[in-house]
Amino acid sequence: MKTFISFLIILVSLSAYGQFSSSLDCVGAMKIGYRYINPNKSDVPPGFIDIRNNEKADLRADVGINYNIKIGSNLYFRTGLRFANKGYNSRKFDNDHKWGNQSQDGVFNPNIPSGEKEKPNSQFKYHYFFIEIPLVARYEFLHKNKLSFYAEAGGAASYYMKSVTVQKLGSDRKLNKDNDEAINNIQISTLLSAGANYQLNYKTQLFLQPTFNYNLTDLVSAPVNEHLYSAGLELGCRHRIK
């Protein structure tokens, strides 16, 4: 009888291994950021989409902390606080300037020396910084040895902090900081991710997950619908509280 009870205790302990009732995460993310603009709105200014097509996706980084609590046999609720950097770049503008003194009989001729120094390429990087509070449900499955897999879905509420525009002109960089009043201070986004946990020991897990974030709220209060989004990879460490 004692042997059977001991066996049950061991079995329960093994089944609980990796099943944290509550825990804290430290997480960092590298993501590709961009934006979606609805080109079919009737009040989009003429030529606006053509101008914005000079923009492209770029790499951004986030950091944050999470709190997880178990609400079912394999179901968890996650919230926390994250410093999120969202945005995109302009494409590089080439040096195809036409100078007035390169004209011949009123026609531009690039073979005529302009007498001007060649100007370097320029580019703009647009950064929008938010404080983000995620509200996410995580379902864990396929527990095998020290590995477990999961899927997450939910949303996040974000508060706009500031904007930073980095202008690159050749090897020179210029930073412009701004608090754009046209940007909506409160943003709501959807979150989707899937990943894997690796059990280091009884109290510590590492996790890795690809993730996708899409802002449902317009970036600015304007006739144009512009929504930020990002996709990337998150890496974190989870510490068991109990």
Side-chain angles (χ1 to χ4, degrees):
M1 186 65 177
K2 289 182 179 180
T3 303
F4 179 70
I5 293 174
S6 299
F7 174 76
L8 286 179
I9 291 173
I10 293 172
L11 186 63
V12 170
S13 298
L14 287 174
S15 65
Y17 191 75
Q19 299 284 316
F20 292 5
S21 296
S22 61
S23 59
L24 288 175
D25 302 345
C26 292
V27 61
M30 294 299 294
K31 303 181 298 182
I32 299 294
Y34 200 43
R35 83 294 178 278
Y36 169 75
I37 296 176
N38 184 357
N40 300 316
K41 284 203 67 178
S42 59
D43 47 1
V44 172
F48 179 82
I49 298 299
D50 291 335
I51 295 173
R52 297 298 299 271
N53 281 342
N54 287 321
E55 296 163 349
K56 64 177 185 177
D58 191 44
L59 200 62
R60 296 289 186 269
D62 295 354
V63 293
I65 57 173
N66 298 320
Y67 173 72
N68 306 271
I69 186 168
K70 191 174 182 180
I71 57 176
S73 59
N74 292 299
L75 189 62
Y76 293 79
F77 172 75
R78 173 169 69 84
T79 187
L81 201 63
R82 175 170 297 205
F83 182 70
N85 178 1
K86 304 183 181 185
Y88 45 86
N89 292 354
S90 72
R91 297 185 185 276
K92 289 184 178 180
F93 296 98
D94 296 325
N95 280 323
D96 55 355
H97 303 290
K98 298 179 180 181
W99 306 99
N101 55 0
Q102 288 179 279
S103 64
Q104 185 176 30
D105 298 326
V107 178
F108 172 71
N109 184 348
N111 296 318
I112 298 176
S114 68
E116 300 283 347
K117 292 183 179 180
E118 184 177 340
K119 293 189 176 181
N121 293 338
S122 62
Q123 184 182 38
F124 292 89
K125 293 176 176 283
Y126 304 101
H127 299 261
Y128 304 100
F129 293 102
F130 294 87
I131 290 292
E132 189 171 87
I133 300 175
L135 301 168
V136 176
R138 180 174 75 251
Y139 182 76
E140 297 190 356
F141 55 93
L142 293 179
H143 294 270
K144 187 174 182 181
N145 297 326
K146 293 186 176 184
L147 277 177
S148 61
F149 298 88
Y150 61 86
E152 289 186 336
S158 303
Y159 178 76
Y160 167 68
M161 297 177 62
K162 65 179 179 180
S163 303
V164 174
T165 302
V166 180
Q167 181 182 6
K168 296 182 66 178
L169 188 62
S171 59
D172 296 330
R173 288 163 57 92
K174 181 180 179 182
L175 268 67
N176 296 310
K177 298 181 181 180
D178 189 20
N179 190 347
D180 194 339
E181 295 182 356
I183 293 180
N184 291 310
N185 285 332
I186 304 298
Q187 305 262 328
I188 303 299
S189 61
T190 58
L191 298 172
L192 293 172
S193 61
N197 299 316
Y198 178 78
Q199 198 79 28
L200 282 178
N201 53 51
Y202 179 71
K203 283 197 170 185
T204 307
Q205 285 180 341
L206 297 179
F207 61 90
L208 181 71
Q209 60 183 43
T211 184
F212 177 76
N213 180 310
Y214 182 86
N215 279 32
L216 300 173
T217 310
D218 289 344
L219 177 62
V220 297
S221 298
V224 178
N225 291 137
E226 180 176 350
H227 300 265
L228 299 174
Y229 67 88
S230 61
L233 200 62
E234 294 185 355
L235 175 65
C237 180
R238 179 171 299 126
H239 183 75
R240 180 176 190 153
I241 299 174
K242 68 174 189 175

